[in-house]
Amino acid sequence: MNRPRLHPEGMNIRRTVGPAAGWAPAAANTTVMDDETKLERRLDRIVAHATRPRGAAVVIATVSTSITVGAGILMTVADHESFPSIGSGLWWAVQTVTTVGYGDHVPANVAGRLVAALVMLVGIGFLTVITAAITSTFVSRSRREQAPSGTTTPTEEQLEQIAGRLERIEAVLTDRPSG
C-alpha cells in the first residue's frame, strides 16, 4: 500500500527524487521514492522517538554508545597487535568518537586505519546529522507553538499567492486551443 509518508513536522508530503529532491507537497507532480531501504525506515523510527528532549537525549546517547562500543570491539579485532584488549580498543574508540584523540593508542596496520577512518567519518557525519534532525524538529515545533493559531506566516502567504498564480496559468493553458 503506497501511503504518503509524513514529514518530521507532520505535514502530508512525499519524499521525491531527481533534480529537486527533498520533501514536496503530496499533490506535487514529482517522482515519488517509495523504495526506502530498511536502514532508512529504521532511522525514521529512531528519529521519531526524538520528538521530546528526553527522547532526543536517549537516541543520541544510544547511537553514540553503540558506535563507540562497536568501534572498540572492531578495532581490537582489526588491529590486535596495537589493541590487545577490548579495553584498549574501547579507550581508543572513546577518544576517537569524542574527537579528543590523545594519540596514546593509534592503529598500526591498514585494517586498523580503515576502521579508524570509518569511525571518524561516522562520528562526524552520522552523529551530526542525527543531532541536526532532532534540533530541526525542536525548532519547527517551537515555531508552531509560538505562531498564533489561525494566522498564516509570510511564507505561507507567498506560497498561497504562487499557487493561485499557477492555477490561473494552468487555466489559461487548458483553455487555449492547440495549434
Side-chain angles (χ1 to χ4, degrees), residues 86-106:
I86 291 180
S88 64
L90 289 173
W91 176 244
W92 168 84
V94 168
Q95 292 178 51
T96 304
V97 169
T98 60
T99 68
V100 172
Y102 292 126
D104 56 347
H105 289 95
V106 294

Side-chain angles (χ1 to χ4, degrees), residues 25 153-167:
T153 64
T155 303
E156 290 171 328
E157 289 177 18
Q158 279 184 317
L159 288 174
E160 287 176 15
Q161 290 174 357
I162 292 170
R165 289 178 66 194
L166 286 173
E167 287 175 9

Side-chain angles (χ1 to χ4, degrees), residues 57-121:
V58 168
V59 168
I60 291 171
T62 302
V63 171
S64 298
T65 302
S66 299
I67 290 171
T68 304
V69 171
I73 293 169
L74 187 60
M75 184 56 82
T76 303
V77 171
D79 192 353
H80 193 69
E81 186 176 309
S82 297
F83 302 93
S85 69
I86 291 180
S88 64
L90 289 173
W91 176 244
W92 168 84
V94 168
Q95 292 178 51
T96 304
V97 169
T98 60
T99 68
V100 172
Y102 292 126
D104 56 347
H105 289 95
V106 294
N109 64 24
V110 174
R113 289 180 180 167
L114 288 173
V115 170
L118 179 69
V119 171
M120 289 177 219
L121 292 173

